[in-house]
Amino acid sequence: MAEIIEHNTKEFAPGLEEIEFIASLVNGVIAKINEIDKIIGKAAPQWPINQIAMVDRAVLRLGIYELLFGNRDEVPPKVAINESIELAKTFGGNASGKFVNGVLGTIYREIGEPGKDDAPKKKEEEPALEP
């Protein structure tokens, strides 16, 4: 797999030297592919996995991996969804962006918007000192 990642990175992203993030995503998706495909099946029951366009399927797998298993400090959930939508719009068909948005949005809502409560809490105001 490392050779394929290296070849494709040189071909499609010349000059990109740090490919660890790409490799971690690819390897992560491969390791979790069965689980991810089951999630797609539940989120889009009207679309059997083998009937989803190849590009849409790949984008969904990547987006779901980032959303559910990725490092949220590196890629927050909403960023993972937005990046997936843009990939689908760029490389998929006319309705790919909407399809990916719908599936990932459903999953995001189902898991309870991860990270929503991770924002730093506001400090309580300290009482003013009286002179």
Side-chain angles (χ1 to χ4, degrees):
M1 187 55 60
E3 297 85 25
I4 295 171
I5 293 170
E6 185 177 339
H7 173 268
N8 286 336
T9 304
K10 285 180 181 175
E11 175 89 16
F12 300 107
L16 182 66
E17 293 180 16
E18 295 184 32
I19 61 172
E20 292 81 19
F21 181 68
I22 296 167
S24 72
L25 290 177
V26 170
N27 293 325
V29 169
I30 290 169
K32 300 275 188 183
I33 199 160
N34 291 330
E35 189 175 345
I36 291 168
D37 285 354
K38 287 177 186 173
I39 293 166
I40 293 170
K42 289 179 184 176
Q46 68 279 19
W47 287 97
I49 194 77
N50 62 346
Q51 290 183 8
I52 297 173
M54 196 179 313
V55 169
D56 296 353
R57 189 170 51 225
V59 169
L60 280 173
R61 286 172 172 161
L62 182 61
I64 291 168
Y65 177 79
E66 281 190 302
L67 188 61
L68 299 179
F69 307 107
N71 181 341
R72 292 193 179 112
D73 292 333
E74 288 181 7
V75 182
K78 289 186 179 182
V79 173
I81 292 170
N82 288 335
E83 288 176 348
S84 296
I85 293 167
E86 291 305 314
L87 282 171
K89 286 180 181 177
T90 302
F91 298 105
N94 291 337
S96 293
K98 289 181 182 181
F99 177 67
V100 167
N101 184 31
V103 174
L104 294 181
T106 297
I107 294 166
Y108 181 72
R109 286 185 298 278
E110 184 71 25
I111 60 175
E113 299 185 25
K116 180 174 84 171
D117 299 323
D118 292 350
K121 302 206 186 312
K122 292 181 182 177
K123 291 183 181 178
E124 292 184 26
E125 289 186 32
E126 295 181 23
L129 297 176
E130 294 182 29

